[in-house]
Amino acid sequence: MSAKTEITKDLANKKLRVTREFAAPVEKVWKAWTDVSLLEQWWAPKPWKAVSKSYDFSEGGFWLYCMSGPNGEAAWCRVNFKTIVPQQSFTSTALFCDENGVIDPSFPAMHWLVTFQTVEAATRVIAELTFDSETDLEKIVAMGFEAGYTMALDNLDELLAA
């Protein structure tokens, strides 16, 4: 099992693919992704925190949360859940917004497909993010997505080991 985060860019298809394995059964990893009390513990790269305003993990539901920084910074996001296959996958669209969930069109939409696979005694999570344009993909990368998301996945490793 590799705890290394693998991130590949596919500019031609406007995709980022993130693969990471966790030393835990799929049920436990799925719960960490879908139970907001656990999700808030690992989603934000330290020292930032994810603070939820509302959360409804169901098809058509959404998560409205704030990435709260150590100096009072606040970056709001809305995740619209589209399809859910329990213990296997879900799709969503993540958007930057204000505290009321009003979308900020100056930031790119990120269309997520997250799949969970059992690999021996571990779980492989593959997050495939699709963008509306190459420019959108490059903007998210320039905002520090790769480092920030890798740190969040490191947080998830720690949470699962606790």
Side-chain angles (χ1 to χ4, degrees):
M1 192 201 85
S2 170
K4 181 176 176 243
T5 301
E6 297 174 13
I7 300 176
T8 57
K9 275 195 274 188
D10 178 356
L11 288 177
N13 291 303
K14 301 171 287 196
K15 291 183 186 221
L16 287 174
R17 181 181 170 100
V18 183
T19 304
R20 175 82 176 242
E21 291 183 10
F22 300 94
V26 71
E27 296 81 9
K28 190 173 181 179
V29 177
W30 175 265
K31 187 172 181 180
W33 276 80
T34 60
D35 179 323
V36 72
S37 67
L38 298 173
L39 182 60
E40 286 181 330
Q41 294 180 48
W42 67 267
W43 185 252
K46 294 175 185 171
W48 291 64
K49 295 181 187 270
V51 180
S52 298
K53 184 172 182 180
S54 65
Y55 184 83
D56 175 10
F57 185 70
S58 66
E59 293 183 350
F62 68 92
W63 180 29
L64 178 59
Y65 71 98
C66 171
M67 288 282 215
S68 177
N71 300 312
E73 306 94 327
W76 287 90
C77 295
R78 177 182 171 124
V79 178
N80 296 326
F81 298 110
K82 297 182 179 287
T83 62
I84 298 170
V85 180
Q87 315 288 322
Q88 294 180 31
S89 68
F90 68 87
T91 60
S92 64
T93 298
L95 304 149
F96 289 89
C97 64
D98 68 12
E99 67 274 10
N100 296 312
V102 177
I103 306 308
D104 181 343
S106 65
F107 288 96
M110 295 174 279
H111 310 284
W112 290 66
L113 165 61
V114 183
T115 58
F116 301 78
Q117 303 170 345
T118 298
V119 179
E120 298 175 4
T123 300
R124 178 180 299 137
V125 177
I126 301 169
E128 189 173 271
L129 288 73
T130 304
F131 297 85
D132 295 332
S133 69
E134 279 185 38
T135 302
D136 287 354
L137 185 157
E138 293 292 3
K139 184 171 184 173
I140 291 297
V141 169
M143 291 171 63
F145 171 82
E146 294 178 63
Y149 191 56
T150 297
M151 291 188 326
L153 294 176
D154 290 346
N155 296 340
L156 177 55
D157 243 349
E158 290 176 21
L159 177 67
L160 292 169

